[in-house]
Amino acid sequence: MLKIGEFSRLSRVSIRMLRHYDELGLLAPDATDPLTGYRYYSEEQLATAGRIAALREMGFGLAVIGEMLQCMDDAARTEQYLLAQRAQLLELAVQTNQRIALVSSALKALRKDGAKMKYDVQLKTIPERYAACVRMTIPNYDCEGRLWSALMSETAHMNLIPDDPCLCCAVFLDGEHKDENVDVEIQKTVKGRYEDTEHVRFKTLPAVTVASTVHHGSYSTLGEGHAMLASWVRDNGYALCAPSFCIYHVSPHETSTPGEMVTEICYPVAKK
């Protein structure tokens, strides 16, 4: 039998953590002196301590580790836990790489243009245009790609002729920012006339006067452009008269580098 201090040294687990493991039912002492309260562990329990340490290194939480310790002899169940953890780690790696790319893009912009991105606001009229449109309620803003996928798949046989210029837009129809169930319509301007499909509606969009500014870089920093536009609208005696929309000049369809994306933010406005 090993005293808790000896077991701590051999297992490389602190006494504090061993007591925590005991409280959670992960690794209880093999015996406890009823008079002194001293805890004793068996040499065989070093293997259990090693398993816990290895699973923690893989990123498993202690609650899940407790479940896994109950089925360590069941290879099939253990494999399910390991496969699920690998999938979560791969997803986390993708998110981490995306965040690294965003930080790198922000650093590049900071070194090139200074601490603040420069925006020029333009008042212009977008003329009447004919467009293929898809409107859906999607789980969140990141799911906008579903609308573009529907447009492309349902019109693939039509050989759509892009307008010149071809404006690819997303109109955000909710009156506020929403974390879920977002109402969005995408629009792609085309030449000719076409029949509607299950999700795609072809329609003529009216001319619209907008205050617009061009944003270079990731969508995560679009807020700076929105702030500039909102201030311009206020300071120049205009008011918003319709939902805002974005024109994608260089989108993720053209580049996988966030810093290379070009988005025109448009606020439909009318003079007060």
Side-chain angles (χ1 to χ4, degrees):
M1 299 289 285
L2 300 170
K3 293 181 179 179
I4 190 170
E6 295 172 320
F7 189 82
S8 171
R9 176 172 55 82
L10 294 174
S11 65
R12 297 184 178 180
V13 179
S14 70
I15 292 176
R16 180 189 63 82
M17 189 56 68
L18 286 173
R19 287 174 176 155
H20 187 48
Y21 289 170
D22 184 14
E23 292 171 357
L24 296 176
L26 293 179
L27 183 60
D30 196 49
T32 302
D33 190 308
L35 296 178
T36 63
Y38 289 165
R39 305 172 186 221
Y40 295 90
Y41 293 81
S42 67
E43 287 78 358
E44 290 76 16
Q45 287 181 293
L46 288 170
T48 302
R51 289 193 191 102
I52 295 172
L55 292 171
R56 290 191 69 189
E57 284 292 318
M58 296 178 202
F60 286 101
L62 292 179
V64 177
I65 289 174
E67 297 173 9
M68 296 182 69
L69 290 176
Q70 302 300 316
C71 65
M72 291 302 291
D73 294 330
D74 187 336
R77 285 191 63 191
T78 299
E79 182 181 25
Q80 290 177 354
Y81 281 104
L82 294 173
L83 288 172
Q85 182 68 359
R86 184 177 67 177
Q88 290 181 12
L89 292 173
L90 287 172
E91 182 178 352
L92 180 61
V94 170
Q95 294 174 355
T96 299
N97 287 334
Q98 289 174 341
R99 288 170 180 167
I100 290 172
L102 292 176
V103 172
S104 298
S105 177
L107 284 170
K108 183 178 179 181
L110 180 66
R111 290 165 180 164
K112 180 180 178 182
D113 299 323
K116 262 189 130 173
M117 191 174 291
K118 307 299 188 297
Y119 291 97
D120 293 317
V121 176
Q122 180 183 12
L123 185 67
K124 67 179 183 179
T125 297
I126 299 176
E128 183 179 275
R129 59 234 180 262
Y130 184 70
C133 306
V134 178
R135 180 175 178 176
M136 291 182 185
T137 298
I138 52 179
N140 53 61
Y141 295 99
D142 291 337
C143 295
E144 185 186 314
R146 297 183 184 181
L147 283 75
W148 293 104
S149 295
L151 189 153
M152 288 187 290
S153 63
E154 293 184 21
T155 62
H157 65 288
M158 296 182 179
N159 297 316
L160 297 181
I161 302 173
D163 200 358
D164 185 18
C166 180
L167 302 181
C168 292
C169 309
V171 186
F172 307 101
L173 296 162
D174 296 301
E176 60 180 332
H177 177 89
K178 297 177 66 177
D179 293 325
E180 57 184 5
N181 299 324
V182 183
D183 188 5
V184 179
E185 180 177 273
I186 63 164
Q187 304 166 347
K188 177 179 180 179
T189 57
V190 294
K191 293 180 179 180
R193 289 294 182 267
Y194 306 90
E195 295 294 326
D196 293 346
T197 67
E198 180 182 0
H199 297 102
V200 183
R201 301 290 180 266
F202 292 90
K203 56 187 179 181
T204 299
L205 304 173
V208 58
T209 298
V210 300
S212 75
T213 190
V214 176
H215 174 85
H216 295 265
S218 165
Y219 298 145
S220 66
T221 54
L222 279 171
E224 299 175 17
H226 282 284
M228 174 62 71
L229 273 179
S231 297
W232 187 94
V233 170
R234 177 199 63 203
D235 296 341
N236 288 273
Y238 285 88
L240 299 179
C241 61
S244 66
F245 60 93
C246 288
I247 302 174
Y248 302 122
H249 295 290
V250 180
S251 72
H253 182 68
E254 286 84 31
T255 180
S256 59
T257 304
E260 296 176 353
M261 295 191 294
V262 181
T263 308
E264 186 176 358
I265 310 169
C266 297
Y267 283 15
V269 293
K271 200 71 174 176
K272 287 184 178 179

